[in-house]
Amino acid sequence: MRVVPRMERGECFNAGVIVYCRAHSYVAARTHLDEAKLLALDPGADVAGVRAALRGVEGVCSGGTEAGQAAGDDPGRRFRWLIAPRSTVVQPGPVHTGLTADPAAEVERLLDLLVR
């Protein structure tokens, strides 16, 4: 996931990752908001709103009541909903493919590698 504080400038930074593994019926998101970076790009940014949007992504991935309307959807459908293009401050980034035997560990590894 990426944050685009000011659409007209096109600047963005990574704020989360989503891992989907069909073989394990697994989808999870981990997020980390660098508040200083957000405010450097847009001093008037709605930090609480961006945090809420990122928490919402994690909630959709986890399913249950946190997923809202997507609660009854299977992991693949929730993943596809999250990666759909949108013109908001919190957006999906490009989708990359890969292989892993441990998707839960992979989501943490990617968060450390790409976001933190």
Side-chain angles (χ1 to χ4, degrees):
M1 299 302 298
R2 61 184 172 194
V3 175
V4 184
R6 294 180 57 191
M7 298 293 289
E8 70 277 9
R9 291 177 54 165
E11 299 164 329
C12 65
F13 63 94
N14 293 338
V17 295
I18 301 172
V19 170
Y20 169 60
C21 179
R22 186 175 69 189
H24 291 276
S25 290
Y26 179 90
V27 66
R30 298 293 181 269
T31 62
H32 171 79
L33 180 61
D34 185 335
E35 188 175 322
K37 192 178 289 186
L38 174 61
L39 293 173
L41 294 174
D42 182 3
D46 178 4
V47 176
V50 172
R51 283 193 192 284
L54 291 170
R55 277 194 310 274
V57 169
E58 290 180 352
V60 168
C61 285
S62 66
T65 58
E66 294 292 315
Q69 292 179 324
D73 292 342
D74 63 82
R77 187 174 178 120
R78 292 194 314 267
F79 174 72
R80 288 184 295 279
W81 183 83
L82 288 169
I83 63 167
R86 54 184 56 93
S87 295
T88 59
V89 173
V90 175
Q91 302 177 0
V95 175
H96 305 281
T97 61
L99 298 173
T100 183
D102 187 352
E106 190 66 13
V107 73
E108 296 298 334
R109 185 187 78 79
L110 291 172
L111 183 68
D112 287 338
L113 178 69
L114 302 171
V115 178
R116 290 189 178 137

